[in-house]
């Protein structure tokens, strides 16, 4: 199932590979919400979905609370002219808009009209993704309605991975899809909200997941297939997945990337 948002690194296109390793359980815990492709393509009784990006979490909360109203609000922006000037006016308005209802609608507009599904902020916390120059951006009404239905099983919270992982309880399955370790210096084009996701964050995450494994929780973590990632997850069972990529591939070049899936039980 597709999701309302375009998203760099979305797991929608590798779900068939990922599902082979996701165990059964009562609740799926995801400290890095992303596009919620894993939630939409699994069938757990409950979901705990977290992210440090309040725009992302409030969008999901708005859809869950009242999908019809969210669709009406978001359509108002999609019905405006699809041109560069309109995009940058809405982006400027989004960066000063205090009302979460309108920020959520504008966030969907920016996601669908901005470049490549990138979600990036500058150090002042301003969304700064450039215009995408798409001929006719798609309004994902069917995906919003499907999401709203599935979201009734979910709790969405704005929290760090550390805070979220402290909330796990017996019966939970944990899946982490953090910002990836760059495979090369030019690959690090995303900003994880305003502060970035550092090497120390990567190490702290892997350490917490290892401790949860020792406590008996089933844990999965995705990352780029690099030496650093394999070293961080050396005590996990590691698999290589092949993921399509739409950004960073040269025309006529390799359009897929190797990803690491670390599994601990």
């Amino acid at each position: 199932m597709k999701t309302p948002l375009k998203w760099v690194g979305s797991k929608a296109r590798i779900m068939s590979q990922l599902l082979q390793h996701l165990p059964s359980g009562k609740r799926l815990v995801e400290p890095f919400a992303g596009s919620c492709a894993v939630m939409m393509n699994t069938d757990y009784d409950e979901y705990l979905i977290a992210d440090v990006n309040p725009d992302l979490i409030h969008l999901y909360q708005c859809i869950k609370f009242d999908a019809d109203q969210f669709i009406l609000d978001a359509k108002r922006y999609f019905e405006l002219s699809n041109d560069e000037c309109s995009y940058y006016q809405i982006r400027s308005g989004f960066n000063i808009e205090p009302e979460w209802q309108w920020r959520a609608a504008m966030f969907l507009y920016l996601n669908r009209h901005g470049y490549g599904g990138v979600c990036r902020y500058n150090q002042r916390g301003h969304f700064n993704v450039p215009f995408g120059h798409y001929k006719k951006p798609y309004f994902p009404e069917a995906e919003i309605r499907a999401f709203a239905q599935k979201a009734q099983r979910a709790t969405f919270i704005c929290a760090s991975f550390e805070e979220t992982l402290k909330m796990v309880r017996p019966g939970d399955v944990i899946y982490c899809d953090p910002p990836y370790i760059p495979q090369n210096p030019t690959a690090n084009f995303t900003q994880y909200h305003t502060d970035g996701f550092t090497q120390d964050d990567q190490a702290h995450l892997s350490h917490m997941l290892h401790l949860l494994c020792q406590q008996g929780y089933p844990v999965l973590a995705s990352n780029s297939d690099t030496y650093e990632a394999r070293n961080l997850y050396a005590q996990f069972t590691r698999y290589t997945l092949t993921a399509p990529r739409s950004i960073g591939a040269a025309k006529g070049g390799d359009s897929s990337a190797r990803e690491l899936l670390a599994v601990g039980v």
Side-chain angles (χ1 to χ4, degrees), residues 7-36:
W7 205 257
V8 173
S10 170
K11 295 296 173 281
R13 290 185 287 181
I14 63 167
M15 279 308 304
S16 60
Q17 300 176 69
L18 193 57
L19 286 170
Q20 297 175 34
H21 304 284
L22 275 168
S24 59
K26 182 173 177 58
R27 185 175 72 161
L28 181 67
V29 177
E30 287 195 78
F32 304 91
S35 68
C36 282

Side-chain angles (χ1 to χ4, degrees), residues 7-15 18 22 28-39 48-52 56 60 161 164-165 173-181 190 192 197 201-202 205-206 209 219-225 233 241 243 258-262:
W7 205 257
V8 173
S10 170
K11 295 296 173 281
R13 290 185 287 181
I14 63 167
M15 279 308 304
L18 193 57
L22 275 168
L28 181 67
V29 177
E30 287 195 78
F32 304 91
S35 68
C36 282
V38 177
M39 183 189 85
L48 176 60
I49 308 295
D51 204 276
V52 295
L56 188 62
Y60 292 150
F161 71 82
T164 307
L165 292 175
V173 174
I174 301 157
Y175 174 63
C176 289
D177 185 28
Y180 280 12
I181 296 169
T190 57
Y192 195 68
F197 201 76
D201 291 325
Q202 297 281 1
L205 173 62
S206 66
L209 294 180
V219 171
L220 290 84
S222 292
N223 217 304
S224 53
D225 190 8
Y233 293 96
L241 308 184
R258 287 159 53 94
E259 294 191 4
L260 181 72
L261 180 66

Side-chain angles (χ1 to χ4, degrees), residues 15-182:
M15 279 308 304
S16 60
Q17 300 176 69
L18 193 57
L19 286 170
Q20 297 175 34
H21 304 284
L22 275 168
S24 59
K26 182 173 177 58
R27 185 175 72 161
L28 181 67
V29 177
E30 287 195 78
F32 304 91
S35 68
C36 282
V38 177
M39 183 189 85
M40 290 303 297
N41 288 280
T42 53
D43 192 26
Y44 292 90
D45 293 341
E46 300 175 50
Y47 296 85
L48 176 60
I49 308 295
D51 204 276
V52 295
N53 185 340
D55 293 317
L56 188 62
I57 294 301
H58 279 103
L59 178 141
Y60 292 150
Q61 290 172 336
C62 284
I63 294 175
K64 176 182 177 179
F65 178 71
D66 192 341
D68 289 335
Q69 185 62 54
F70 176 81
I71 288 168
L72 287 174
D73 293 341
K75 274 186 174 179
R76 295 179 186 178
Y77 293 103
F78 276 73
E79 289 167 356
L80 298 174
S81 297
N82 176 33
D83 58 57
E84 199 163 352
C85 181
S86 296
Y87 175 84
Y88 287 115
Q89 285 180 344
I90 292 173
R91 194 183 77 173
S92 295
F94 172 80
N95 285 325
I96 61 173
E97 175 59 56
E99 295 294 333
W100 286 109
Q101 175 185 352
W102 295 112
R103 283 184 70 88
M106 296 162 88
F107 188 70
L108 179 67
Y109 168 90
L110 294 172
N111 171 263
R112 287 282 171 175
H113 290 73
Y115 176 71
V118 173
C119 183
R120 188 184 65 198
Y121 298 79
N122 62 25
Q123 289 298 318
R124 292 181 296 169
H126 291 170
F127 189 88
N128 65 355
V129 176
F131 183 55
H133 296 280
Y134 300 111
K135 185 175 181 180
K136 189 177 181 181
Y138 172 65
F139 184 75
E141 181 169 348
E143 290 82 355
I144 292 169
R145 294 193 182 281
F147 184 94
Q149 184 176 3
K150 191 65 169 286
Q152 302 312 308
R153 305 189 208 174
T155 299
F156 299 99
I157 61 171
C158 188
S160 68
F161 71 82
E162 184 176 26
E163 294 169 317
T164 307
L165 292 175
K166 290 178 180 178
M167 298 179 188
V168 298
R169 63 194 188 202
D172 284 349
V173 174
I174 301 157
Y175 174 63
C176 289
D177 185 28
Y180 280 12
I181 296 169

